[in-house]
Structure formats: C-alpha cells, structure tokens
Amino acid sequence: MSAEERQARILAEVDRTGGVRIAQLGARLGVSDVTARRDVEALAERGLVARVRGGAMARTAGPGPARGAGLRAKAAIARSAARLVRPDEAIGILAGGITALLARELSGVPGLSVVTNAIPIADTFHHEGRADQMVLLLGGVRTRSGALAGPVAERAAAGLNVDVVFVSVSGMDASSGFTAPGRAEARIGAALIAAARRVVVLADHGTWGSSGAAVIAPLERADVVVTDDGLVRAGRSALRRRAGRLIVADVP
C-alpha cells in the first residue's frame, strides 16, 4: 500500500470517527507505528487533521488560521472542564470533538469510572489511562457523526448512575436550548443526562445562535456550561441567567 493510499484511509477514518490512535493505525494498515506517525504528520502539515498526543483528530471547519483558533478554543474548554472532575468519580462523556480532548485531559485522574458512547474516547483511556480506571463503552449503532446511539445504547444508559456527564453540543440558543446533529445523538444525550447528578455542557462560542436537528435539553438543564472567551455578550447573559453556572475559558 502506497503512502497516498494509507493517508487516504487515515483521513477517511478521522472523518468517520473524529479521531484515530497511532497504535491502531499501525495494526489496521499493516505498518509500523513509526510509518503511521509519519503519515499522520504528513496529513497534519497539509492541514487535513489536527495532530494530538498519540494520534490525530478532525480539524475544525474553516480556513487555516480559523481552524487553529477553533482547536485552541476547544482545548481551553477541555482543560477548564477537566478541573471539575475529582478522583474516583463515575463520569459520562458523550461523543464530540471537545469531549475527545477532555478524555485526554482526564486520562491521568485516579480511579475514574467512565461511560461513553464514543470509540475514540474509550480508546484514549485504554491506551493512555491508568490501571485503576474503568471504561464502559455503550453499544449501539454508529451514527453519521461517529457516535454510538440507538435503543441498545439508550437502554444501557437508563440503568446507570454517574456523578457527572459531559455533553458536547452542535448548537445552543435561547429558544431551542442544547441541540445535536440528529435525533439518535439527542436521545442518547438525554438518556445519559437523566442518569447524571450533574450536567456539564461543553460548547465553543461558535455554537451559540445555531441549532442542530434535534433538541437534547433546555438551557436550564445544565448545571455548568463551559465555553470560551469568544462567546458574545448576549450568549453569556442568557447562559448566566438560565444555566446553573457559566465558566468562560481564556484561549491562549
């Protein structure tokens, strides 16, 4: 298999799942980790993927500088959200770009029990996590966004009890609340929210004023919303008034 063919397969996998691990790529492509890493670096240099520790993830939309700014905002949100987690907690992490970054921030926290509907997030804890962490990957059907959802995942979530769930959303506004790209993603999001004592929504400033295809929950359902310092004044005002707490992460 040529380098071009390998890189095309890597890019397709990133587009499908949101992220890949170097160790997985080597096994799937039948090459060494060194070769897989070089392929990822080549794609990153062309601006097609974002290079992260141990792998790659999808770039944010938009031209080059905007992509970089978007990724920095998401990383800042993930770092701020990670400070809300304590050792030995049971947490839910729904599929999403920001939550994928959050998983890496949490991989070193002792004693976590993690429930997720995202294969890349489960892989992060498997490859980078601690021996005293436990990860439960919900079953279900893979959606177009790469999340596992459907009746199987919803039934599994209904029997859970977690301290906090982290929800990455595709849109949020004053009328629709927090939204997802499709009904399946919204339903599994609502199911995990129902199983949690605390709900933390992670959303960059670009999601404010936009609305996905399906509603996950109203703004009032969030105990905490973590966003970045690009959020407009109207968005900050609405979230402070209707959500439990607003955390604004400074973007370097």
Side-chain angles (χ1 to χ4, degrees), residues 75-86:
I77 292 168
R79 287 192 297 271
S80 293
R83 300 187 187 106
L84 301 174
V85 177
R86 296 182 293 272

Side-chain angles (χ1 to χ4, degrees), residues 170 203-210 228 231:
S170 62
D204 65 74
H205 71 274
T207 60
W208 179 257
S210 63
D228 63 89
L231 182 64

Side-chain angles (χ1 to χ4, degrees), residues 49-220:
V49 300
R51 185 78 167 89
V52 295
R53 187 178 68 174
M57 64 180 294
R59 297 295 300 262
T60 55
R67 287 180 177 176
L71 186 58
R72 288 195 299 274
K74 288 175 170 57
I77 292 168
R79 287 192 297 271
S80 293
R83 300 187 187 106
L84 301 174
V85 177
R86 296 182 293 272
D88 300 316
E89 283 193 313
I91 65 173
I93 307 179
L94 283 160
I98 302 178
T99 46
L101 294 172
L102 173 66
R104 292 186 170 89
E105 295 289 335
L106 297 178
S107 61
V109 178
L112 290 183
S113 296
V114 181
V115 178
T116 184
N117 68 327
I119 294 173
I121 289 174
D123 283 343
T124 293
F125 284 100
H126 176 70
H127 292 288
E128 301 179 18
R130 295 168 51 99
D132 59 1
Q133 292 176 336
M134 182 178 69
V135 180
L136 172 63
L137 178 64
L138 298 176
V141 178
R142 188 189 298 274
T143 66
R144 294 181 65 182
S145 67
L148 296 177
V152 172
E154 292 166 26
R155 285 195 296 270
L160 297 174
N161 185 19
V162 298
D163 295 302
V164 57
V165 63
F166 292 92
V167 185
S168 183
V169 300
S170 62
M172 59 178 179
D173 63 28
S175 58
S176 299
F178 302 112
T179 54
R183 290 184 179 180
E185 292 92 342
R187 287 174 64 91
I188 186 59
L192 268 178
I193 284 174
R197 295 187 182 91
R198 289 181 292 144
V199 178
V200 180
V201 173
L202 312 181
D204 65 74
H205 71 274
T207 60
W208 179 257
S210 63
S211 180
V215 175
I216 304 172
L219 298 183
E220 289 81 1

